[in-house]
Amino acid sequence: MRTIGVLMTSLALSAQEAQAMHIMEGFLPATHAAGWWLLMLPVIGVGIRRLKQDLEADSRRKMLLVMAAAFTFVLSALKLPSVTGSCSHPTGLGLGTILFGPWTMSVVGLVVLVFQALLLAHGGLSTLGANTFSMGVVGPFVAYGIYRGILGLRAPRWLAVFLAASLGDLATYCVTSLQLAWAFPDPLSVATLGTLAGTWSSLIKFLGIFAVTQVPLAVAEGILTVMVLKTMESYAPSSVGKPTYSNASKGF
């Protein structure tokens, strides 16, 4: 029992130091940090090309992109206390993903995370690859897939927006938990059952630690995204509706 208690305390302290969905500077082993950079960079390369093509096709969407980036920056900078002294936060990428698609928002996610690391000490530069992969790559692509899938079922647009923003947020949280579990497997499980079992054991514990606050935050982000997008559409329907959901059902 004492050993289990020590292990749980160690995981809790790791969660606290990692700052949950923004993994702090120097927290990941160098090989892990470099690996996530390598996975992230190709997506960013494609995203830059897609972003350039989108803005060249309609330069009026530049202001819309700035608004989506600001929305992402503000929401993802809101650190709310979680259990064990760690923190959770929304991502804000669902809105921009619906407006511009996941490739473009991967670039926005990277830019936002760089500014937060430099100006707010939220996250870090060595862990920028891992943070961008979870929040700027996985989150937007999951959100976009869910959005298009729900619309394909002819469901109301508000439901597609809500589920895209909420589940995109949760996907980010799940990937961050996996990144932490992979870097810090449960030593007791590793010793008795192997590395894979140790990683799985840590993953379950990290998911449980952050779920207390992250699930309600994801629901709140989904509701907020629906409200913001509906408001934006009422003022500039042609810009908001193009190009990502030009075939979507009308109205919320």
Side-chain angles (χ1 to χ4, degrees):
M1 290 298 293
R2 178 178 299 178
T3 302
I4 295 175
V6 171
L7 291 174
M8 290 298 293
T9 301
S10 177
L11 282 171
L13 290 174
S14 296
Q16 179 177 356
E17 293 173 359
Q19 299 184 33
M21 289 174 66
H22 279 16
I23 302 175
M24 69 179 291
E25 177 66 37
F27 190 73
L28 292 178
T31 52
H32 286 248
W36 292 115
W37 267 95
L38 292 176
L39 287 175
M40 174 269 289
L41 287 176
V43 179
I44 297 301
V46 176
I48 291 173
R49 291 198 299 270
R50 294 290 184 91
L51 173 59
K52 183 179 179 180
Q53 292 170 358
D54 193 6
L55 296 182
E56 286 178 348
D58 188 351
S59 60
R60 296 173 300 176
R61 288 169 60 79
K62 291 180 180 178
M63 185 56 67
L64 193 64
L65 180 63
V66 171
M67 293 176 61
F71 184 79
T72 299
F73 182 88
V74 172
L75 257 67
S76 60
L78 297 175
K79 298 193 294 183
L80 302 179
S82 182
V83 294
T84 75
S86 61
C87 62
S88 297
H89 63 79
T91 66
L93 282 162
L95 176 66
T97 298
I98 292 167
L99 297 175
F100 291 93
W103 294 102
T104 294
M105 290 312 291
S106 67
V107 180
V108 172
L110 172 63
V111 173
V112 165
L113 287 166
V114 167
F115 275 96
Q116 289 180 350
L118 295 177
L119 301 179
L120 305 178
H122 193 22
L125 295 180
S126 68
T127 56
L128 185 61
N131 289 330
T132 302
F133 186 84
S134 61
M135 192 178 103
V137 176
V138 174
F141 275 91
V142 168
Y144 185 76
I146 291 171
Y147 179 75
R148 299 305 300 180
I150 297 298
L151 287 182
L153 298 175
R154 299 186 181 278
R157 188 188 300 176
W158 68 263
L159 180 61
V161 173
F162 170 78
L163 291 176
S166 299
L167 297 181
D169 178 294
L170 289 177
T172 298
Y173 135 77
C174 289
V175 172
T176 301
S177 296
L178 176 60
Q179 291 170 330
L180 293 172
W182 190 12
F184 304 101
D186 184 339
L188 180 60
S189 297
V190 170
T192 56
L193 299 174
T195 302
L196 182 60
T199 301
W200 179 251
S201 178
S202 286
L203 176 61
I204 294 174
K205 292 169 184 175
F206 278 120
L207 288 172
I209 287 172
F210 299 131
V212 176
T213 49
Q214 198 60 48
V215 172
L217 277 177
V219 173
E221 180 174 347
I223 295 172
L224 178 62
T225 303
V226 170
M227 296 172 60
V228 171
L229 192 58
K230 184 176 182 180
T231 302
M232 293 174 67
E233 188 177 61
S234 66
Y235 285 98
S238 60
S239 295
V240 174
K242 183 178 126 181
T244 304
Y245 57 91
S246 57
N247 295 323
S249 57
K250 300 295 182 181
F252 279 79

